[in-house]
Amino acid sequence: MSKIRILPDALASQVAAGEVVERPAALVRELVENSLDAGARHIEVHAQRGGSALIRIVDDGTGMDREDAMLCLERHATSKIRTKEDLGAIRTFGFRGEALPSIASVSRFRLATREKDALVGTEIEVNGGKLSAVRDHGGASGTVIEARSLFFNVPARRKFLRAENTEFAHVEQQLRLHAIANPQVAFTLTHNGELVLHLPATRDMLERIRGLVGDELASRLLKVEEQTFRGVTVSGYIGGPGMSRSNRQMQTTYLNGRPIESASISYGLREGYHTALMKGQHPVTFLFIQMEPQAFDVNVHPAKKEVRFHDGNGVREAIARGVSRTLENAAKLPSGHVPAGRMASSAAQTPARPEILMSEEHQEVLPIQAPTSAAPLRQLPAVPAAFSGAATKPQEVIAPVPEPGGPPAPPAPAASDFRIIGVLRKLYVLMEGAEGLVLMDQHAAHERVNFEKFRRALEAGGVPCQRLLMPITLQTTPRDSDLLRQNQDALNRLGIEIEPFGPNIFKVEAVPAFLRADDPAAWLDHVIEELGSLSAKTSSLRLSEDAIATTACRASVKSNDVLSIPELQALLKDLFACEMPYCCPHGRPTLVQISVAELERKFGRRAPG
Ligand code: ADP
Ligand code: MG
């Protein structure tokens, strides 16, 4: 007897729903994308109990006529593609025509929609996939979609919903992702009737980012000037050297406006930041990639979160270039210290300098959903009452475009701007600067100085080496042996004279002249380890840079080395002569500042905030 059955339609929808709508945040993603595809300028999202009791989306997009309103609830009903060719050139968020039927099959669903010029609109109710009512609708033009009691008819799935706060955090994160990519659209988010986010429309992306992450962080982002490489256009805003997070929540990347994650992108970021990012940390990015839709496939992930690039290497390299150029340019900029909390419109135009880390920044790990101390949301005006289902056209709230040309930037800091006060724990050099107390990590600073010195030597055609009185014989594993053979040239250029001396045995006759290490064999082990940890994709330049970073670290003064004041002054001078003075080659900060204002707050001489 045959065992295969064709599933009844309602059941098939529920199965499909599992892939598309795994939690309330997924509804928000699908519904907001639909609103954006429908050209909405205002989008409201209302959630109750983390979204599992209710998600309601109100938009002022095109709306649908009755026929479309009925059709959109059928599976594979979409207005966005027609032919197989269209699938290869998708410019909309949606195209599968499965979100609405999926959502309607696992909730108490209501759709109310009216086209702009239509006299009446349509209201449809669906209960767990069963059509229960169709009537006229007299509300505002645009579309309202409500999904109540998510998974009420699929208890197995309902069990997987997390605590209210967790689900809502995902909802909010999802909305933030879309809000960043669409500054020209106004967004409102409420939870249990309370206003959580209100973002007026603006033409300025940085303004939108500021509304979401607060002034302090936004003012310290660097602008990635739009640039194209191998058909990949990159632009946006990224954190400067030393600005990082322990999770990926602030690493946001978009492809043609769609928030996505991709290994090629992550590699590109990592490569671009390279020594400006601490190992194990993630950068803060709002990075936008534009590509022809033919150059990638979005139809590989049920939630369209991942994409497949036809030329992943091109994407990786375009991003790496964009990021490294931005960091390099920023390091060359004169440093205009943008005071924290300043809403200066000029900040939108002038990239912030690679700043001396503020002390708070160094300690905090700020997840994107956490309300920032600047609490930008609560201070904003309340939701325009006109925009909640009423028939009036919502007011267009476009923030003024900032006037070009900000205040003249002060000159870059120099060693002479700082007065050395003393040394703490034989490591932290305490200094007085124009804005307060500045601490320099003498080891990190020396590492940066050495790193750039060695790199220059390498670029100038090789590093001077010192012959060893007793050549070192290295016994290696077959794998390390291969690595050493493959990289022999690069190692020679690094000042390491190494050659095969038998099966899996190498002889080292010379090491870099600047190496202070008292145990060259241990240092070599370290270099080999470093070689092994570099991915095959890493270019040979990066490889030598990594090896140099290790060398620089080994050759640098340690935390217990006592330096004289003139030595410290020389170190500070060398540091400010560096291309990227504010972090060591491993991305740790070299300088940390505690501003006078912060001290005044701590001593109660100034009101907090
Ligand atoms: P897809 O987005 O893949 O086309 P959906 O199931 O999400 O599939 O939506 C089906 C269709 O319903 C869309 O193609 C669109 O024509 C229509 N639609 C959905 N949401 C809206 C909306 N908010 N405003 C106008 N039309 C919408
Ligand atoms: Mg859709």
Side-chain angles (χ1 to χ4, degrees):
M1 224 180 68
S2 74
K3 296 189 204 85
I4 298 176
R5 298 261 179 289
I6 303 284
L7 293 178
D9 234 27
L11 189 55
S13 286
Q14 283 179 13
V15 172
E19 308 222 320
V20 190
V21 291
E22 72 274 28
R23 61 184 347 160
L27 267 70
V28 171
R29 179 189 62 232
E30 294 296 332
L31 298 176
V32 167
E33 287 185 354
N34 279 347
S35 298
L36 290 169
D37 280 343
R41 309 295 298 180
H42 293 77
I43 299 176
E44 283 181 22
V45 178
H46 303 279
Q48 298 275 1
R49 303 238 310 274
S52 60
L54 169 75
I55 291 286
R56 179 197 291 128
I57 312 260
V58 186
D59 76 41
D60 61 349
T62 54
M64 287 175 266
D65 65 17
R66 177 139 321 174
E67 192 183 344
D68 279 353
M70 297 295 292
L71 253 180
C72 78
L73 295 167
E74 300 285 331
R75 278 217 287 153
H76 309 302
T78 178
S79 56
K80 297 168 196 173
I81 57 171
R82 279 167 205 285
T83 64
K84 196 165 108 241
E85 286 65 44
D86 291 345
L87 192 57
I90 290 162
R91 290 181 192 276
T92 49
F93 287 112
F95 55 85
R96 292 187 189 138
E98 62 181 9
L100 293 185
S102 295
I103 296 169
S105 72
V106 293
S107 68
R108 301 186 200 284
F109 181 90
R110 188 175 81 95
L111 161 73
T113 186
R114 182 166 72 80
E115 288 181 303
K116 219 198 208 100
D117 301 319
L119 286 177
V120 305
T122 303
E123 184 175 347
I124 298 177
E125 281 175 17
V126 182
N127 243 330
K130 283 192 216 68
L131 187 70
S132 61
V134 180
R135 50 179 100 85
D136 285 352
H137 165 70
S141 72
T143 302
V144 182
I145 289 182
E146 263 178 32
R148 289 182 186 275
S149 316
L150 185 63
F151 300 136
F152 77 97
N153 55 344
V154 202
R157 298 206 64 83
R158 196 167 175 87
K159 260 206 327 252
F160 282 101
L161 291 179
R162 298 301 176 86
E164 172 170 340
N165 284 344
T166 312
E167 290 301 339
F168 183 71
H170 285 279
V171 165
E172 188 178 345
Q173 166 77 356
Q174 187 61 49
L175 195 72
R176 282 168 179 264
L177 284 176
H178 283 300
I180 288 165
N182 298 281
Q184 75 294 351
V185 177
F187 287 91
T188 299
L189 173 67
T190 72
H191 188 213
N192 297 333
E194 259 189 61
L195 182 65
V196 177
L197 281 177
H198 175 62
L199 302 162
T202 168
R203 262 171 270 177
D204 177 10
M205 163 116 12
L206 190 59
E207 183 71 36
R208 172 56 56 88
I209 294 174
R210 181 180 291 126
L212 285 165
V213 302
D215 294 343
E216 217 270 323
L217 197 142
S219 67
R220 293 185 293 125
L221 292 172
L222 309 176
K223 181 167 190 200
V224 180
E225 296 297 342
E226 190 175 300
Q227 47 197 289
T228 305
F229 177 76
R230 275 163 67 173
V232 185
T233 302
V234 180
S235 65
Y237 291 89
I238 60 171
M243 195 199 268
S244 64
R245 294 292 182 268
S246 59
N247 61 36
R248 255 180 239 233
Q249 231 149 26
M250 285 274 219
Q251 181 186 314
T252 52
T253 48
Y254 298 84
L255 174 61
N256 295 356
R258 184 194 302 280
I260 54 150
E261 287 161 25
S262 120
S264 302
I265 294 181
S266 286
Y267 282 135
L269 288 174
R270 207 140 274 285
E271 195 174 324
Y273 270 95
H274 195 56
T275 66
L277 194 69
M278 227 186 288
K279 279 220 167 82
Q281 291 282 96
H282 303 280
V284 174
T285 66
F286 304 95
L287 199 70
F288 292 83
I289 304 160
Q290 297 288 337
M291 287 171 80
E292 282 303 315
Q294 290 81 2
F296 59 88
D297 186 359
V298 272
N299 199 13
V300 293
H301 186 275
K304 306 184 200 109
K305 253 196 246 166
E306 282 164 29
V307 295
R308 190 174 296 138
F309 294 111
H310 299 325
D311 176 19
N313 279 339
V315 173
R316 180 175 59 86
E317 210 172 325
I319 291 174
R321 279 166 178 249
V323 169
S324 63
R325 268 194 209 161
T326 306
L327 296 176
E328 279 156 24
N329 289 342
K332 283 186 211 123
L333 265 185
S335 75
H337 189 109
V338 184
R342 197 174 99 182
M343 280 286 277
S345 53
S346 58
Q349 249 62 25
T350 349
R353 69 167 170 160
E355 80 284 8
I356 296 175
L357 283 180
M358 311 293 286
S359 62
E360 296 111 325
E361 160 63 21
H362 188 43
Q363 298 154 3
E364 66 154 355
V365 176
L366 182 85
I368 199 164
Q369 320 100 309
T372 57
S373 55
L377 315 174
R378 313 278 168 195
Q379 294 161 11
L380 285 161
V383 202
F387 183 57
S388 263
T392 44
K393 171 102 181 75
Q395 260 188 310
E396 202 78 334
V397 202
I398 300 281
V401 187
E403 298 269 306
S416 56
D417 297 340
F418 300 91
R419 186 176 68 82
I420 296 174
I421 303 167
V423 183
L424 181 73
R425 298 208 154 197
K426 297 186 189 161
L427 173 59
Y428 303 111
V429 184
L430 309 182
M431 304 183 292
E432 180 180 348
E435 289 167 30
L437 180 67
V438 175
L439 294 98
M440 174 172 71
D441 178 323
Q442 66 176 36
H443 175 64
H446 201 211
E447 265 190 283
R448 166 53 65 179
V449 169
N450 277 337
F451 175 73
E452 296 202 4
K453 190 165 83 189
F454 301 163
R455 191 174 57 185
R456 274 197 304 278
L458 180 76
E459 280 162 2
V463 176
C465 53
Q466 51 176 328
R467 313 232 122 245
L468 292 167
L469 288 177
M470 296 272 277
I472 300 169
T473 329
L474 285 177
Q475 175 85 50
T476 65
T477 62
R479 178 178 172 269
D480 286 352
S481 186
D482 284 349
L483 273 175
L484 287 174
R485 259 177 240 277
Q486 281 158 18
N487 294 295
Q488 196 174 341
D489 281 354
L491 292 169
N492 286 344
R493 266 183 289 123
L494 274 173
I496 304 170
E497 246 174 54
I498 185 165
E499 53 189 47
F501 194 55
N504 301 331
I505 301 177
F506 288 80
K507 197 169 67 177
V508 180
E509 305 246 25
V511 294
F514 46 64
L515 188 69
R516 271 175 35 137
D518 21 300
D519 185 358
W523 174 79
L524 282 165
D525 278 346
H526 206 87
V527 172
I528 295 171
E529 198 185 303
E530 198 77 7
L531 278 179
S533 71
L534 296 172
S535 80
K537 288 191 167 173
T538 317
S539 62
S540 72
L541 174 71
R542 287 299 188 216
L543 182 147
S544 1
E545 281 198 350
D546 272 301
I548 296 176
T550 309
T551 318
C553 173
R554 288 292 167 132
S556 296
V557 297
K558 293 285 178 269
S559 51
N560 279 325
D561 293 343
V562 179
L563 300 186
S564 66
I565 295 289
E567 279 174 317
L568 287 173
Q569 278 163 340
L571 173 59
L572 190 63
K573 195 160 161 248
D574 289 345
L575 181 65
F576 279 116
C578 283
E579 278 176 32
M580 208 182 271
Y582 300 104
C583 63
C584 81
H586 307 97
R588 283 190 300 271
T590 53
L591 296 161
V592 164
Q593 172 171 282
I594 302 175
S595 69
V596 175
E598 197 181 333
L599 288 171
E600 283 176 345
R601 270 198 299 276
K602 283 199 160 63
F603 284 105
R605 290 176 181 274
R606 177 196 271 240

